[in-house]
Every structure is written in C-alpha cells, then in structure tokens.
Amino acid sequence: VDIVDQKRVVVDGPESVSGVRRHMMPVKRLSLTDFVAKIPRGAREKTLRQALEKDEIMKKWSETSWAKKVAAKQVRANMTDFERFKLMVAKKKRATEVKKTIKKTK
C-alpha cells in the first residue's frame, strides 16, 4: 500500500478479504506475485477491496499452485487425531496397491 523507507513497506490484505491486517513489513520477507491492482499510494481499505474485486485478484490467486499448497497445509494443520490416523491408513493401503501392481508388471 505504501513505502516507509528502503527496507520497509506497509502491506494490507484487507483483513476481510485475505486475512492480512495493515502492518509494516520488511521488503526481505515479501514474495511478489504477477497480480497487479491499480491503487493510489496509501489507499484506504475500501479502495483496496474494490480494486481487488474489480480485477478478480483473489480468484486468480486461489487458482495458483502456491495458494493450493497453502490451503492444503492449513487443512493438514487443522486435522484431528482421528483424521490423521485415517490418512495414515489410506496411505498404507495405497502403497500396498502400488506395490502389488508393480510386482505384477515385473
């Protein structure tokens, strides 16, 4: 949203759209994407939200593999113990099936 100095910038989600509050962040920690929204320097949250909706940036972001990885990581982090167990069992079952088919082809 705005540049503070050579090493820090102000970023904003806005929180209602992406979950990122307006805060200062070092440039080193930023990862830029190809998505661009035309906004004035120091834009308010409402202006930013409208620009994101107009350019459908959040929709484009959700289609990227990066966003899918983040979503999968979040799903994994929110799993219960039983869900982790079911996942482990399913992985074992899949591995045995793969081994069987490989053994057949040899």
Side-chain angles (χ1 to χ4, degrees):
V1 176
D2 204 354
I3 300 167
V4 178
D5 57 31
Q6 277 188 322
K7 295 187 176 189
R8 292 178 297 167
V9 293
V10 175
V11 295
D12 192 355
E15 192 173 8
S16 60
V17 177
S18 68
V20 178
R21 285 197 195 112
R22 183 176 287 232
H23 66 284
M24 224 177 337
M25 193 170 183
V27 175
K28 276 186 191 177
R29 291 205 54 208
L30 286 179
S31 297
L32 298 179
T33 61
D34 294 332
F35 308 121
V36 179
K38 288 285 183 188
I39 57 168
R41 190 170 168 197
R44 292 171 50 200
E45 187 177 330
K46 183 179 176 185
T47 311
L48 180 60
R49 194 176 329 109
Q50 288 172 348
L52 291 176
E53 287 171 3
K54 189 182 99 184
D55 297 335
E56 296 181 344
I57 289 180
M58 295 312 290
K59 182 181 174 214
K60 292 175 188 174
W61 164 253
S62 63
E63 293 168 356
T64 63
S65 60
W66 186 1
K68 290 174 185 172
K69 284 180 194 173
V70 169
K73 192 174 181 182
Q74 195 172 19
V75 166
R76 274 240 158 121
N78 292 331
M79 279 184 160
T80 62
D81 189 38
F82 185 60
E83 289 170 336
R84 280 192 293 275
F85 171 75
K86 289 195 295 188
L87 178 67
M88 180 197 69
V89 170
K91 280 183 175 181
K92 282 184 177 179
K93 203 177 273 188
R94 183 180 68 190
T96 56
E97 290 296 320
V98 169
K99 285 179 185 175
K100 280 181 187 177
T101 54
I102 290 173
K103 206 170 190 178
K104 281 183 185 177
T105 57
K106 285 186 178 180

